[in-house]
Amino acid sequence: MADAPLLEVTGLEKSYNVPVLSDFNFDLLPGEVHALVGSNGAGKSTFARILCGLTQRDRGDIRLNGRHHNPGSKRDAEHAGVIMVLQELNVIPTLSIAENIFLNRLPRNGGFIRYNNLHAQAAKALARAGLEGVDPATPAGLLGVGHQQLVEIAGALSQDCRLLILDEPTAALSDPEIDKLFENVRRLQSEGVGIIYVSHRMDEIRRIANRITVLRDGRRVATHKVGDVTSTELVREMAGHDLPERKQSARATGPVALRVNNLKAGPRVRGVTFEARHGEILGIAGLIGSGRTETLRAIFGADPKESGEILIDGKAVRIRNPKDAVQAGIALIPEDRKQHGLLLSQSIRVNTTLSSISNHASAGWLNADAESQTATAQCQQLNTRCHNIEQVVGELSGGNQQKVVIARWLARDCDVMLFDEPTRGIDVAAKDTIYELLRGLAAKGKAVVVVSSELVELMALCDRIIVMSDGRIAAEFLPGNWSQETITKAAFSSYLTESEGATAL
Amino acid sequence: MSLFKPRKLIEYAAMAAIWVALILLFGSLSHNFLSSRTFLTLANRIPALAVVSVGMTLVLVIGGIDLSVGSVAGLCGSLLGVLVLNCHMPFWEAVVLCLIMGLAAGTANGLVSVCLNIPSFIVTLGMLEVARGLAYLVTNSQTKYIGGAVEGLSEPVASFGVSPAFLITVALTIIGQIVLSRTVFGRYLIAIGTNEGATRLAGINPVPSKIAVFALAGLLSGLGGVFLTSRLGSADPNVGVGMELSAIAAVVIGGTSLMGGRGSVINTFFGVLIIATLDAGLAQIGASEPAKRVITGAVIVAAVVLDASRQRLATRLAQSFNVVKRNANTAAPTSPN
C-alpha cells in the first residue's frame, strides 16, 4: 500500500492579501496518521479547509487516489470521502444529538423524519465514538464542550470516509475521552483511512501519528517520521528560533487573596472550598464536567450561587453579577473567548479598554488618546501580532485573541485573575508567551487561578494544584508530590466512590 | 478623534455621494427639481422622521427594535394639540409635557423588555397599539386645527430659510453621533449590541444602558410628534402611522446593522435625506403614489445590498490611508497626542 499515496498535494498556493500557503507539498498514505504542526497562522487550517471544500485554492494540484480533487463545497468533499471535524464547534444546540450527527442525511419517509431509525443509527455512531449510554435525543446544547466535540467526531465517523481531517480534536477533551478518540483513529487506520491530524499537542502526536509535517508561514519546513525527531526540534522548526528556557523558581507567596467557602451553584458545583494566595498560581485540574468552569463562573457572578461565601483579602464580598466581581478585583478570562470574551467585530482598542473604560474617560467622555495608549502598550507588552490597534479582533489568530482578552484585565489591574483554559487552541510559541505572562502576574503579587485540561501545563506552571471531582475539591497537591497518575486518580475519585450520584447527573 | 477617523469620513462621503447622485438624477429628469425651493421643502419636511431615526439608530445599535415610535409620536403630537387648545397651556410648557410623555412611553418599553426579558419587538409592538389608542382617546378621534400657536417651530426663519425644527434636528443628529462614538454610554451601546454576554462578563451591567436607549427613543419620538403637529398646524391622532418603518428604513440605508453593534447617526440622517428626496423627486416627475411605494421599497433593499460593498470599499480606502500615514510617520516620529 505504501507505494500509492492516498493524497498527493503539489505546489499548493493560497493567499488572502498575504500568502497563506505557498508552494506547499504534502502526501498521505492509506492507513497513515500524518500530523500537521505549526504556529497559528502557519496555514494548517487553510490547507484543511481547501481539502474539505470550505475554501478554494489559488493554484496547485491535489490528487486523491490519483484523481483530481477540487471540491467546490463541503458536500462535494464528503462525496469524495473527505471529512473534516472542525476546530470550532459546529453543533446546533437546539437540535438533538442525533439530528446534529445526521443533519445532512436524515433518514426520512417522504418529508417526515424516521426518528426510530435516526436514534438507532445515532446510538451506534455515538457508541463508536465512545459515548455509549448517551441518549441521542438529548439536545446537543445540554452537553459540555468536550462531549459536543465527541458528537462531531461521531458524526464524521458515521459517514463513508476515506480521508479524515481532525483539527485540534482533543482541545476540549479529557484524557479518557482522548483515549476513546485514539481507539477510533486506530480502527479507521486499520481500515485504510488516511488521517490528517492537526494539533499542537506533541505528546498526542507522538502517541498517534506516523509522520509529522511542520508548517511555517505557509511553507513546508520538514517532514519527519515520528520517532526521528524530538519535540524541541519540532518547536524550533515551527517557531524558526529557539524558545527561551522556562525558569522554574520557587515563588514566595503572600497572604490569602481569594477564599471560597462551601460554594454551591447548580448541579456541578456542590460545595467548593479553596483559597488562592497573592503571588501564587493555583491550578484547578479535573475531568470535563467536574465543575471547574462552573466554579469560576459562580465566583465571578456570571451564574447565580445557591450558597457559599467569597472573601477577598479576608473580607466577605457580595457578588451578584460580574460587575460586583470586577469591582471586588476579580477577573475572569473565559474558556470560549469568541462567545464570552471578545467583541469580535470591534477593534483591539475597544476590546482592550472595555473593562477599564472609566479610566479612559472623564465625566462620561471617552479619551481616545488614552485608549490608544493603553491598547498600544498592552499590544507591545503581550507581543500581540496585529496590523495596528484598530484591527478588528475577529481577524486575529486564536493566540492573539487570547492576548487581547488578557490585555483587557491587565488594563483593569485586578488582583485575582481566573483563567479558564487559557491556552485552548493556541500554538506552542503563543502558549509560552501566555505562561510567561501568568508567571509575571504572579510575580507582581496577583492571585492567578488556572483551570486547564492539560496536566502537563498545570504541572509546569502552578505552585499548587487542586483537583475537582464531581463538583467538589477532591485533593490538593504541592510541587514534588504530584504526578499525572496521582492527579488523574484524584480527578476520578468521586466518580468511583459515588457512582450512583454521578450517574444521576 | 473617533468622529473624524478616515474610515468614518469616507463612509459619510459615500452616503453623501449617493444622496447627491439621487438629486442629480431627479435634476436631469425634471428641470424644476434643482432649485433652492426643493431643498427648503426637504429641510422643512424631514425633522420629525430624522429625530425619530436618531433614537431608532441607538436602539438598533444595541440589537433591539422600537416599533412604537410612530404611535408615540402620534400620541405626543395629539397631546400637544389638546394641551394647547383645550387646556390653553402655553406652547413651550405643552411641549415639555409632550416630551415627558414620550420619555415615559420609551421608559416603559425599556423597563418591560429589559427587566422582564421580553424581546423589544413584542414589547414595542404592544406599545404601538397602546400609544395609538391613547392618541385617539385624548383627541376623541378628531383632528383638531390649532393654527399659529404651534406653527412657529416649523416655519422657516426669515434669514436662514430653514425652520428651527430643522436646526434642532441637525444639532441632535450631531449630538447623537458624538454620544455614540465619543462617550462611555455610546461605547456600552456598541459593546452590548456586539456581544451582550461578553460585555456582561467584562464587568459591565447592560441593564441601565438598555433602558436608557429605549427611554431616549421615546423622548425623541415625542419630539418628532411635536414637530409633526407643528408642521401640520393641527393635532391629528393618525399622524405618524407607519413612521416606524420609514425610520427603520432610513437607519438601515445608513448602514446600521439590524443585528446590532454597528451604526452611525450621521449616516442615518443621510438615509432620511435619501428617503425624503426620493419622495419629493418622484412626486415632481409625476410618479403615482403606488409607483412611489414600489420604487422606494426597491431602493431600500438595494441600499442594504450595496451597503456590504460600501463597507468593504471604506475599509480598503481607510487602510491605504493608514499606510500613507504610517509612511509619513516613519519620516517624522509621532507626537504623543
Side-chain angles (χ1 to χ4, degrees):
Chain A
M1 288 288 267
D3 45 342
L6 174 69
L7 178 79
E8 205 171 6
V9 176
T10 44
L12 189 64
E13 312 234 336
K14 174 74 193 176
S15 63
Y16 302 100
N17 301 323
V18 291
V20 185
L21 283 172
S22 32
D23 193 26
F24 179 64
N25 300 315
F26 183 82
D27 69 285
L28 176 71
L29 305 175
E32 182 189 35
V33 177
H34 195 150
L36 214 50
V37 298
S39 296
N40 284 342
K44 302 169 308 217
S45 293
T46 306
F47 174 53
R49 289 172 65 85
I50 290 173
L51 287 181
C52 70
L54 292 172
T55 305
Q56 303 304 309
R57 69 202 164 139
D58 291 342
R59 65 185 69 81
D61 189 37
I62 303 173
R63 280 165 190 272
L64 185 68
N65 274 338
R67 271 196 246 151
H68 285 289
H69 177 68
N70 191 17
S73 67
K74 194 163 184 256
R75 215 191 166 87
D76 280 358
E78 283 175 3
H79 274 299
V82 178
I83 290 164
M84 174 166 176
V85 176
L86 291 164
Q87 184 179 1
E88 305 296 332
L89 290 177
N90 210 15
V91 167
I92 302 170
T94 48
L95 294 187
S96 74
I97 297 172
E99 286 163 336
N100 267 291
I101 296 177
F102 291 97
L103 195 56
N104 57 351
R105 57 212 143 89
L106 290 167
R108 68 189 92 193
N109 197 350
F112 296 96
I113 298 173
R114 291 160 58 203
Y115 274 104
N116 289 337
N117 180 319
L118 172 67
H119 288 159
Q121 285 192 48
K124 226 182 282 172
L126 287 172
R128 281 176 69 177
L131 285 174
E132 49 275 279
V134 175
D135 180 4
T138 314
L142 294 184
L143 298 174
V145 177
H147 281 94
Q148 287 187 16
Q149 184 113 33
L150 283 179
V151 165
E152 289 219 355
I153 291 167
L157 295 180
S158 69
Q159 301 180 55
D160 178 30
C161 156
R162 285 195 288 173
L163 168 56
L164 178 66
I165 305 164
L166 296 170
D167 190 358
E168 287 289 348
T170 60
L173 300 188
S174 61
D175 287 346
E177 291 165 331
I178 294 174
D179 289 341
K180 279 177 182 151
L181 171 71
F182 283 5
E183 274 170 40
N184 283 304
V185 169
R186 291 208 181 89
R187 191 172 44 71
L188 288 170
Q189 238 183 321
S190 67
E191 290 167 10
V193 174
I195 291 145
I196 297 178
Y197 192 92
V198 180
S199 180
H200 300 311
R201 302 184 184 205
M202 295 302 154
D203 50 333
E204 288 172 16
I205 290 174
R206 292 197 172 279
R207 275 174 69 190
I208 197 77
N210 305 106
R211 283 191 294 165
I212 306 174
T213 288
V214 181
L215 266 163
R216 189 173 75 228
D217 300 331
R219 291 172 187 279
R220 188 178 70 168
V221 180
T223 299
H224 306 279
K225 282 210 172 121
V226 85
D228 296 351
V229 63
T230 66
S231 295
T232 330
E233 282 166 352
L234 285 174
V235 169
R236 193 183 305 132
E237 284 175 351
M238 278 186 267
H241 60 84
D242 276 313
L243 290 169
E245 253 181 50
R246 288 178 188 171
K247 281 169 229 132
Q248 192 70 342
S249 54
R251 261 186 302 273
T253 56
V256 173
L258 168 72
R259 179 158 180 87
V260 178
N261 273 342
N262 202 19
L263 179 70
K264 289 187 182 170
R268 291 218 167 138
V269 185
R270 306 306 318 155
V272 171
T273 301
F274 71 90
E275 56 188 36
R277 293 174 173 277
H278 282 285
E280 175 186 50
I281 303 182
L282 171 70
I284 304 184
L287 300 174
I288 287 163
S290 61
R292 300 168 304 172
T293 296
E294 292 79 2
T295 300
L296 295 192
R297 284 180 61 90
I299 294 171
F300 192 64
D303 294 328
K305 292 183 257 300
E306 286 152 28
S307 63
E309 204 185 9
I310 290 166
L311 294 91
I312 298 288
D313 291 328
K315 266 179 279 174
V317 285
R318 185 142 182 251
I319 296 173
R320 290 153 303 178
N321 53 45
K323 190 182 178 189
D324 292 344
V326 172
Q327 271 166 0
I330 306 175
L332 172 70
I333 291 83
E335 178 179 11
D336 184 343
R337 53 185 162 265
K338 290 192 176 180
Q339 207 190 331
H340 298 132
L342 291 165
L343 309 177
L344 281 178
S345 60
Q346 304 297 333
S347 66
I348 294 174
R349 174 176 56 86
V350 168
N351 274 283
T352 304
T353 58
L354 189 61
S355 295
S356 53
I357 200 72
S358 49
N359 299 341
H360 299 90
S362 50
W365 289 90
L366 293 174
N367 182 342
D369 294 332
E371 278 194 86
S372 300
Q373 273 173 21
T374 301
T376 310
Q378 291 294 348
C379 276
Q380 281 168 358
Q381 193 190 333
L382 302 182
N383 196 18
T384 311
R385 276 176 68 177
C386 57
H387 298 311
N388 57 48
I389 56 161
E390 297 304 325
Q391 193 176 1
V392 169
V393 293
E395 295 172 3
L396 302 178
S397 68
N400 288 312
Q401 287 182 347
Q402 185 69 304
K403 289 180 191 172
V404 174
V405 182
I406 294 174
R408 174 188 302 163
W409 296 112
L410 294 182
R412 171 78 200 196
D413 201 23
C414 290
D415 271 352
V416 176
M417 301 186 75
L418 313 174
F419 289 84
D420 194 359
E421 301 283 0
T423 61
R424 183 181 159 197
I426 290 178
D427 70 90
V428 179
K431 270 185 186 177
D432 251 49
T433 324
I434 307 257
Y435 296 151
E436 278 311 312
L437 197 71
L438 296 183
R439 291 194 187 98
L441 291 173
K444 277 190 213 153
K446 297 191 185 301
V448 178
V449 180
V450 180
V451 161
S452 174
S453 293
E454 287 187 61
L455 284 185
V456 183
E457 173 172 294
L458 288 180
M459 287 158 63
L461 193 62
C462 297
D463 301 303
R464 194 157 55 95
I465 296 177
I466 54 177
V467 185
M468 275 194 83
S469 188
D470 199 18
R472 294 181 181 84
I473 304 296
E476 177 180 346
F477 295 96
L478 294 169
N481 70 5
W482 64 39
S483 69
Q484 295 217 32
E485 201 188 326
T486 51
I487 294 177
T488 309
K489 224 165 143 186
F492 272 103
S493 56
S494 298
Y495 297 99
L496 299 177
T497 52
E498 291 177 70
S499 54
E500 285 157 329
T503 45
L505 300 174
Chain B
M1 292 289 280
S2 42
L3 193 59
F4 302 112
K5 271 189 300 197
R7 199 204 137 96
K8 284 222 164 128
L9 287 180
I10 293 163
E11 281 195 38
Y12 298 158
M15 285 301 295
I18 294 172
W19 180 53
V20 170
L22 205 57
I23 286 172
L24 293 178
L25 174 71
F26 284 121
S28 67
L29 292 174
S30 156
H31 53 90
N32 297 331
F33 189 78
L34 280 180
S35 68
S36 59
R37 222 182 110 245
T38 308
F39 290 100
L40 290 180
T41 314
L42 270 183
N44 293 324
R45 221 197 242 180
I46 60 167
L49 179 59
V51 291
V52 167
S53 301
V54 170
M56 187 66 88
T57 309
L58 300 182
V59 173
L60 290 195
V61 161
I62 63 163
I65 197 158
D66 188 348
L67 297 176
S68 70
V69 291
S71 294
V72 171
L75 170 60
C76 297
S78 303
L79 187 65
L80 180 65
V82 171
L83 290 177
V84 171
L85 276 184
N86 301 8
C87 307
H88 309 288
M89 197 179 267
F91 177 66
W92 289 110
E93 284 173 29
V95 166
V96 169
L97 276 184
C98 290
L99 295 183
I100 290 172
M101 182 75 233
L103 186 67
T107 309
N109 279 336
L111 284 173
V112 174
S113 88
V114 177
C115 297
L116 303 182
N117 201 15
I118 300 171
S120 54
F121 188 100
I122 310 290
V123 175
T124 59
L125 184 63
M127 182 58 81
L128 178 147
E129 288 298 324
V130 170
R132 185 62 66 190
L134 288 176
Y136 288 123
L137 283 178
V138 296
T139 55
N140 280 324
S141 306
Q142 285 163 354
T143 302
K144 295 179 178 176
Y145 177 74
I146 312 170
V150 293
E151 283 171 343
L153 198 53
S154 297
E155 261 166 11
V157 179
S159 48
F160 295 124
V162 293
S163 61
F166 180 76
L167 296 177
I168 293 171
T169 302
V170 170
L172 285 176
T173 302
I174 293 170
I175 292 170
Q177 181 64 46
I178 289 174
V179 165
L180 192 58
S181 57
R182 306 227 46 200
T183 67
V184 173
F185 176 62
R187 177 63 55 78
Y188 283 179
L189 301 188
I190 289 170
I192 290 166
T194 308
N195 186 339
E196 187 174 340
T199 304
R200 192 166 137 346
L201 286 180
I204 293 162
N205 182 1
V207 169
S209 302
K210 287 175 77 177
I211 295 175
V213 162
F214 283 99
L216 264 179
L219 176 67
L220 289 166
S221 303
L223 183 61
V226 169
F227 286 168
L228 283 172
T229 296
S230 155
R231 180 156 64 85
L232 297 171
S234 54
D236 178 355
N238 287 307
V239 84
V241 169
M243 197 184 205
E244 58 282 348
L245 298 182
S246 307
I248 292 169
V251 176
V252 167
I253 288 175
T256 295
S257 163
L258 275 181
M259 308 298 292
R262 180 162 69 86
S264 155
V265 181
I266 294 209
N267 281 343
T268 292
F269 185 75
F270 281 116
V272 172
L273 278 178
I274 287 169
I275 288 181
T277 307
L278 209 55
D279 191 53
L282 288 171
Q284 186 113 35
I285 62 172
S288 66
E289 191 59 32
K292 271 165 68 178
R293 295 188 70 156
V294 171
I295 294 171
T296 308
V299 166
I300 292 168
V301 176
V304 177
V305 172
L306 277 176
D307 179 57
S309 46
R310 192 165 58 81
Q311 297 282 341
R312 270 199 301 278
L313 183 73
T315 310
R316 209 173 316 138
L317 285 173
Q319 268 167 6
S320 51
F321 180 89
N322 281 339
V323 170
V324 173
K325 204 168 72 174
R326 222 174 12 245
N327 291 346
N329 285 352
T330 46
T334 6
S335 52
N337 62 346

